[in-house]
Amino acid sequence: MFSNLSNIAEGVDNAFLIILSIIFFFLIGLTVLLVVFIFRYRESKNPKATQIEGNNTLELLWTIIPLILVLGMFYFGWTSWKPLNSDPPKDAMVIKVTARMWNWSFEYENGKHTDTLYIPAGKPVALDMKALDVIHSLYIPAFRIKQDIIPGTPRKAWFIANSPGSYDLFCAEYCGLQHSYMLTSVEVKTSKEFDAWYIDTTQTVVVAASPQLAGKQIVQKYGCNACHSTDGTKIVGPSYKGIFGEEITVITGGKERIITVDEEYIRHSILEPDADVVKGYNKGLMITYRDQITEEEINLIIEYIKSLK
Ligand code: CUA
């Protein structure tokens, strides 16, 4: 039940145990008292009620004791919340975390870019988090870490993972249709394994046999496939399958018009998603990728879409 997998876990578990103990003390105490009173003052004993005008000792006790209890709960809650939210140590490894509908991306100081969080055991890790569209919440249950990320407000959190292993990481704030897609993992490595992984930058460079395959990797990197299927299935946005070269009806500024899907249309849709929305789909669900994607990546995505006949 208890976790010692991160430096945060012990404090959170202690606060939880203390609050749970207080709750159980009252649950059991009040239930026992209730049963005793039912027997002691039952009807056949013919109890008589007496009027009491006030009792200073009792009133002080039932004010002071609960006050001490709730302040105690606050103290343990606060001291366990504080470490995660305090300033990270100077030597912490900073990882940029981006949450969007509906995937996570993690970016390392050397430019490595992943959809799974890789960290070394025993070293402080500082997460520099931002949400691009709606509120998401980074949740790593094994580490007892949960942090909401609100668009426009970057959020920091730091921790130390104690033991190598693979742990769940997911979004704990309902963020729309494919919220459940925001499930990935934290891979905690020994520092030797981590260093080997970290310096191996071949994985980040697109090493694909063809532009189509490279495009597919970019679609996965940005999580486009959470909303656009490649097999014709209708999800949140139009499927990529067979769309290139098709004549489609789009809504431009409230008016319908027919266009042919070409390179320019795809590029424009990535940069200005709400400009020409395909009829039957909703506006406002896709954010612009203008500041994230490169021109080269857009071209590779176009090559990939072309190949999906
Ligand atoms: Cu992001 Cu739920």
Side-chain angles (χ1 to χ4, degrees):
M1 178 190 170
F2 290 102
S3 166
N4 58 354
L5 295 171
S6 78
N7 65 323
I8 310 293
E10 199 189 341
V12 173
D13 284 353
N14 282 340
F16 178 71
L17 187 69
I18 287 164
I19 294 170
L20 195 70
S21 314
I22 295 173
I23 290 169
F24 268 97
F25 174 78
F26 281 103
L27 175 71
I28 294 163
L30 288 172
T31 310
V32 168
L33 209 62
L34 183 81
V35 173
V36 169
F37 281 6
I38 287 172
F39 280 96
R40 182 178 288 181
Y41 301 110
R42 63 185 182 274
E43 205 182 2
S44 59
K45 285 210 162 185
N46 198 19
K48 288 265 175 315
T50 43
Q51 180 65 19
I52 299 169
E53 281 304 328
N55 184 323
N56 287 342
T57 320
L58 257 182
E59 282 168 19
L60 277 173
L61 278 178
W62 76 45
T63 307
I64 291 168
I65 294 175
L67 186 71
I68 293 171
L69 287 176
V70 291
L71 283 178
M73 289 193 246
F74 171 74
Y75 173 79
F76 287 102
W78 173 260
T79 48
S80 66
W81 178 86
K82 203 85 212 328
L84 183 66
N85 291 277
S86 58
D87 285 333
K90 291 262 177 305
D91 62 335
M93 188 177 79
V94 180
I95 300 170
K96 284 190 186 144
V97 179
T98 308
R100 63 167 79 82
M101 293 193 272
W102 288 280
N103 76 343
W104 297 99
S105 57
F106 305 99
E107 198 187 329
Y108 298 79
E109 280 160 334
N110 68 351
K112 250 179 127 84
H113 214 284
T114 59
D115 59 1
T116 305
L117 180 60
Y118 288 89
I119 54 169
K123 282 199 185 130
V125 170
L127 302 178
D128 203 344
M129 303 184 285
K130 67 175 182 205
L132 297 183
D133 33 41
V134 296
I135 304 177
H136 300 275
S137 181
L138 180 123
Y139 187 27
I140 311 172
F143 297 170
R144 308 291 193 256
I145 288 170
K146 192 195 253 175
Q147 198 72 281
D148 281 9
I149 322 163
I150 298 160
T153 313
R155 197 85 198 252
K156 280 201 169 65
W158 79 272
F159 62 95
I160 300 168
N162 291 335
S163 332
S166 175
Y167 310 99
D168 286 342
L169 181 158
F170 54 92
C171 177
E173 182 74 55
Y174 182 68
C175 52
L177 205 57
Q178 313 293 347
H179 156 71
S180 64
Y181 279 28
M182 296 187 75
L183 167 67
T184 178
S185 65
V186 191
E187 302 296 327
V188 183
K189 305 277 179 202
T190 62
S191 52
K192 226 178 121 189
E193 280 170 351
F194 180 82
D195 290 343
W197 174 85
Y198 191 69
I199 55 164
D200 178 13
T201 48
T202 52
Q203 289 176 9
T204 55
V205 181
V206 178
V207 276
S210 64
Q212 289 84 353
L213 262 176
K216 186 179 181 180
Q217 290 178 356
I218 290 154
V219 161
Q220 283 161 351
K221 168 181 161 185
Y222 288 107
C224 314
N225 46 344
C227 298
H228 300 281
S229 80
T230 53
D231 61 359
T233 314
K234 181 177 173 175
I235 327 177
V236 177
S239 177
Y240 289 159
K241 189 183 164 128
I243 199 169
F244 194 85
E246 284 291 296
E247 282 200 344
I248 53 163
T249 308
V250 296
I251 314 285
T252 308
K255 288 203 184 71
E256 285 187 17
R257 63 190 187 105
I258 293 169
I259 56 125
T260 304
V261 178
D262 55 7
E263 276 103 345
E264 194 39 46
Y265 175 71
I266 296 172
R267 173 176 293 105
H268 196 230
S269 296
I270 294 170
L271 303 177
E272 303 275 351
D274 282 342
D276 311 288
V277 179
V278 180
K279 197 180 170 191
Y281 293 90
N282 290 317
K283 231 174 123 156
L285 289 175
M286 179 171 161
I287 50 157
T288 171
Y289 283 77
R290 191 179 293 286
D291 300 326
Q292 300 181 61
I293 203 163
T294 64
E295 191 56 37
E296 194 196 343
E297 287 176 323
I298 294 179
N299 289 332
L300 291 170
I301 290 180
I302 293 171
E303 288 311 310
Y304 175 53
I305 294 176
K306 277 185 189 170
S307 73
L308 295 166
K309 292 266 180 312

